[in-house]
Amino acid sequence: MPRPLRQRIVRPGLPHHIWFRGNSRRNLFSHPADFLLFLVQLKRSLQANGCRLSALCLLRNHGHLLLEAPGQVELSRCMQVLLQGYSRYRHTRYRSSGRLFEDRFGCRPVRGIRYLAIVTAYIDLNPVRAGLVKRGQDYRWSSCRMHAAEAGTPATLRDLCSPNPWYRSLGHDDLTRAAAYRAWLQECVRYERNRRIWEALDIRARLTHVPSSFRERRPSGSRVR
């Protein structure tokens, strides 16, 4: 008996945390050209469906996006076109076959500025949690360098991402926001040592499981609420 599809909740006007994985942990990206091709296809799919991206991280066998869509139809179409198109590219380039992605992509709306702050950092710090780098800014295929205003972000990725409302609230100019974001990342890394903090971001957890003791850093002059 086929497993029933899990219900996907989409809230227009809210950012959504999207995640996808390689089937049976198979690699999705093997060379820099694969990452770049995915970014190009992502840009086309976002534009075609009126979606906006504010954070991204692509690792070898999975990826995370933070995007906003006009509605459920547009979000589903955006991801379907993206993943199917990339799957065709991958099979053609590497002469492979079979299902590339595991199950359906995951999707969860991000409600509230506090949770948006956590999810943004969670996505940017994925390579740190995976043991690939010591700082999120040291990983090329994420939005972390862009948020922290450090050199090395691929031009294609810079064109893709637009700062979300929480990030814009961190200061009155780019330098102030970037400095505040770097401080926020350091605070999140310290909290990361207490694994319970990040249980809130497990895909099986409810949004209400965010520990009440967790507070985002509020730089002077910001209006995070």
Side-chain angles (χ1 to χ4, degrees):
M1 181 177 179
R3 182 174 56 182
L5 296 176
R6 57 178 179 264
Q7 184 179 7
R8 179 168 294 137
I9 301 174
V10 176
R11 297 286 184 261
L14 289 181
H16 291 72
H17 179 199
I18 308 291
W19 62 92
F20 51 89
R21 298 187 179 90
N23 189 34
S24 298
R25 299 180 181 273
R26 69 187 295 181
N27 278 352
L28 300 175
F29 309 100
S30 302
H31 299 284
D34 300 337
F35 290 97
L36 289 171
L37 188 281
F38 186 91
L39 294 178
V40 170
Q41 292 187 338
L42 174 58
K43 181 177 181 179
R44 292 172 180 169
S45 193
L46 290 170
Q47 292 176 340
N49 293 283
C51 300
R52 294 182 59 193
L53 183 76
S54 60
L56 168 147
C57 184
L58 304 177
L59 287 89
R60 289 282 186 181
N61 62 4
H62 72 283
H64 294 267
L65 309 174
L66 185 60
L67 64 83
E68 181 180 330
Q72 182 170 350
V73 172
E74 291 84 358
L75 188 147
S76 296
R77 186 188 299 126
C78 177
M79 293 304 301
Q80 182 181 25
V81 170
L82 170 64
L83 300 184
Q84 287 181 354
Y86 184 76
S87 182
R88 288 193 296 269
Y89 155 81
R90 179 88 186 179
H91 288 326
T92 300
R93 175 171 179 140
Y94 297 102
R95 298 181 181 179
S96 59
S97 61
R99 190 168 64 181
L100 179 62
F101 294 97
E102 176 186 87
D103 204 2
R104 303 169 75 210
F105 66 89
C107 174
R108 188 175 297 278
V110 179
R111 300 181 179 91
I113 203 75
R114 178 164 161 261
Y115 197 71
L116 182 57
I118 299 173
V119 172
T120 303
Y122 175 82
I123 291 175
D124 279 351
L125 290 174
N126 246 252
V128 177
R129 302 179 80 239
L132 300 176
V133 292
K134 292 184 178 180
R135 303 185 314 151
Q137 300 96 304
D138 296 332
Y139 189 73
R140 184 181 185 190
W141 307 108
S142 83
S143 52
C144 193
R145 287 181 179 177
M146 182 192 70
H147 287 140
E150 294 195 9
T153 304
T156 306
L157 181 52
R158 288 198 304 269
D159 293 341
L160 274 175
C161 290
S162 303
N164 61 49
W166 170 76
Y167 182 85
R168 292 197 301 269
S169 75
L170 292 178
H172 301 295
D173 57 67
D174 293 341
L175 292 178
T176 302
R177 285 189 285 268
Y181 189 73
R182 291 193 297 270
W184 169 232
L185 288 181
Q186 292 176 357
E187 186 168 340
C188 287
V189 169
R190 287 196 295 271
Y191 275 120
E192 166 70 1
R193 298 190 182 105
N194 180 351
R195 304 291 290 196
R196 290 176 300 173
I197 291 297
W198 296 98
E199 290 176 3
L201 293 171
D202 190 291
I203 62 174
R204 295 165 297 179
R206 297 180 180 272
L207 298 182
T208 54
H209 288 180
V210 178
S212 59
S213 61
F214 190 87
R215 293 293 183 270
E216 64 267 34
R217 179 183 291 272
R218 299 186 181 186
S220 60
S222 67
R223 299 180 59 188
V224 178
R225 295 178 179 173

